[in-house]
């Protein structure tokens, strides 16, 4: 709209600069995103997840089922210009069933639902003939393993008898700590590129910040929430930060190959939902394995 009479343009500049971070040498940090909007979006998503966890943990099934559908849509739109066609109906129905099976039936039911969905997706594509079958089948199996299967490992965490809700919350806290520690350490101190070909913004300094933040968060979460030993929390932190970093790089490579900056526009300040959960996807099964072995 029109500016108010007598408004000073410098005031608007000052308001924008209020959210600009600076490095120790005084140089302004280019974050590449609207930081207040990104934080607000993340807090809103976190609140939604918390409300689905407590008091009825089964409500979380609806969250991962919805995330499955949204992420499948984002991936399908990204693959579309490259000619690949996902078996969306089998993946959507089977992916939703996988979330239900993981929560109520555990790993065995999840394996059965995943295998059934894979067969259905491969069979669905038969009707379109041989041309492009390998391409489309490979895309569907990638989508199956990358999205609903990895999301379902979150259900394995929350379905753990006794303290499942706390296990899921500990996993989320540790993974978010990786993002926060790496983000601020990277933009404030980052100098040495970690994987410039895949993700130019990632630095070894940022990775160090992620490791430190995850170890602290893991130790606190395991001791205070799960009554486990400090060392198990530290191991969880290291395992999660490694998995989260790999997950972030995997999604960066996917976007680079598809020629996309973001997978979608689901969350203001974050891009698509896949852009937000990329590290959580890979860290989920790792957290479940570590906690199952070290904090029985």
């Amino acid at each position: 709209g029109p500016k108010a009479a007598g408004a000073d343009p410098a005031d608007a500049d000052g308001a924008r600069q209020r959210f600009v971070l600076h490095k120790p040498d005084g140089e302004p940090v280019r974050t590449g995103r609207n930081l207040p909007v990104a934080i607000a979006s993340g807090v809103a998503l976190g609140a939604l997840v918390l409300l689905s966890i407590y008091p009825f943990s089964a409500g979380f099934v609806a969250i991962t089922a919805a995330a499955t559908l949204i992420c499948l849509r984002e991936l399908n739109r990204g693959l579309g210009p490259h000619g690949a066609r996902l078996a969306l109906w089998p993946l959507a129905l089977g992916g939703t069933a996988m979330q239900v099976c993981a929560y109520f039936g555990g790993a065995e039911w999840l394996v059965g639902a995943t295998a059934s969905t894979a067969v259905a997706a491969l069979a669905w594509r038969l009707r379109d003939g041989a041309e492009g079958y390998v391409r489309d089948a490979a895309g569907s199996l990638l989508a199956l393993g990358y999205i609903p299967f990895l999301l379902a490992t979150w259900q394995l965490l929350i379905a753990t008898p006794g303290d499942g809700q706390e296990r899921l919350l500990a996993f989320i806290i540790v993974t978010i700590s990786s993002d926060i520690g790496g983000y601020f350490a990277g933009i404030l101190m980052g100098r040495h590129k970690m994987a410039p070909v895949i993700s130019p913004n990632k630095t070894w300094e940022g990775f160090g910040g992620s490791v430190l933040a995850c170890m602290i968060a893991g130790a606190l979460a395991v001791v205070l929430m799960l009554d486990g030993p400090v060392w198990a929390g530290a191991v969880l932190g290291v395992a999660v930060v490694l998995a989260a970093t790999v997950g972030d790089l995997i999604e960066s490579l996917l976007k680079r190959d598809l020629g996309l900056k973001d997978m979608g526009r689901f969350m203001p300040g974050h891009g698509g939902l896949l852009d937000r959960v990329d590290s959580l996807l890979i860290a989920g099964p790792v957290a479940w394995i570590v906690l199952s072995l070290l904090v029985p």
Side-chain angles (χ1 to χ4, degrees):
K3 292 183 181 178
D8 187 351
D11 292 340
D13 293 338
R16 284 192 294 268
Q17 291 300 317
R18 200 178 305 156
F19 298 105
V20 174
L21 297 171
H22 291 81
K23 297 182 180 181
D25 60 5
E27 179 185 351
V29 173
R30 307 292 182 184
T31 63
R33 66 174 70 179
N34 185 326
L35 193 56
V37 173
I39 292 174
S41 299
V43 169
L45 182 62
L48 177 63
V49 170
L50 282 176
L51 289 174
S52 71
I53 294 175
Y54 297 101
F56 305 110
S57 59
F60 190 62
V61 171
I63 295 295
T64 57
T68 293
L69 300 179
I70 294 169
C71 290
L72 283 173
R73 179 175 181 269
E74 290 179 354
L75 183 59
N76 187 56
R77 292 182 64 179
L79 291 171
H82 299 268
R85 293 174 294 172
L86 299 183
L88 274 182
W89 278 106
L91 289 173
L93 295 175
T96 300
M98 288 161 63
Q99 312 309 308
V100 177
C101 288
Y103 180 82
F104 291 102
E108 289 185 359
W109 283 27
L110 173 58
V111 170
T114 303
S116 300
T117 304
V119 172
L122 294 174
W124 181 270
R125 179 56 182 77
L126 292 175
R127 58 182 184 169
D128 290 328
E131 185 176 355
Y133 182 83
V134 172
R135 175 199 61 207
D136 295 343
S140 292
L141 293 181
L142 166 66
L144 172 65
Y146 185 53
I147 296 173
F149 180 77
L150 294 181
L151 281 170
T153 61
W154 304 2
Q155 296 297 337
L156 298 180
L157 278 167
I158 198 172
T160 304
D163 59 359
Q165 292 158 310
E166 288 72 28
R167 285 174 182 254
L168 178 67
L169 195 56
F171 153 63
I172 293 174
I173 289 172
V174 174
T175 310
I176 290 176
S177 297
S178 171
D179 285 344
I180 294 174
Y183 181 72
F184 285 103
I187 64 177
L188 294 175
M189 298 179 291
R191 294 289 185 275
H192 302 89
K193 300 296 183 183
M194 178 185 249
V197 175
I198 301 174
S199 185
N201 293 327
K202 281 201 171 296
T203 63
W204 285 107
E205 291 82 0
F207 178 71
S210 290
V211 172
L212 180 61
C214 274
M215 291 184 70
I216 294 173
L220 291 174
V222 167
V223 170
L224 298 178
M225 299 172 61
L226 304 177
D227 294 325
V230 172
W231 65 268
V235 171
L236 174 66
V238 173
V240 165
V241 75
L242 291 174
T245 301
V246 170
D248 195 32
L249 292 174
I250 287 172
E251 206 242 357
S252 294
L253 205 57
L254 277 174
K255 290 190 294 187
R256 188 172 290 271
D257 188 32
L258 297 176
L260 299 173
K261 182 180 183 297
D262 294 314
M263 290 301 294
R265 298 179 180 178
F266 176 74
M267 296 183 65
H270 285 298
L273 186 59
L274 263 176
D275 298 308
R276 183 64 271 170
V277 301
D278 53 0
S279 55
L280 288 161
L281 285 174
I282 305 300
V286 172
W288 174 63
I289 292 170
V290 171
L291 288 175
S292 297
L293 292 175
L294 303 184
V295 190

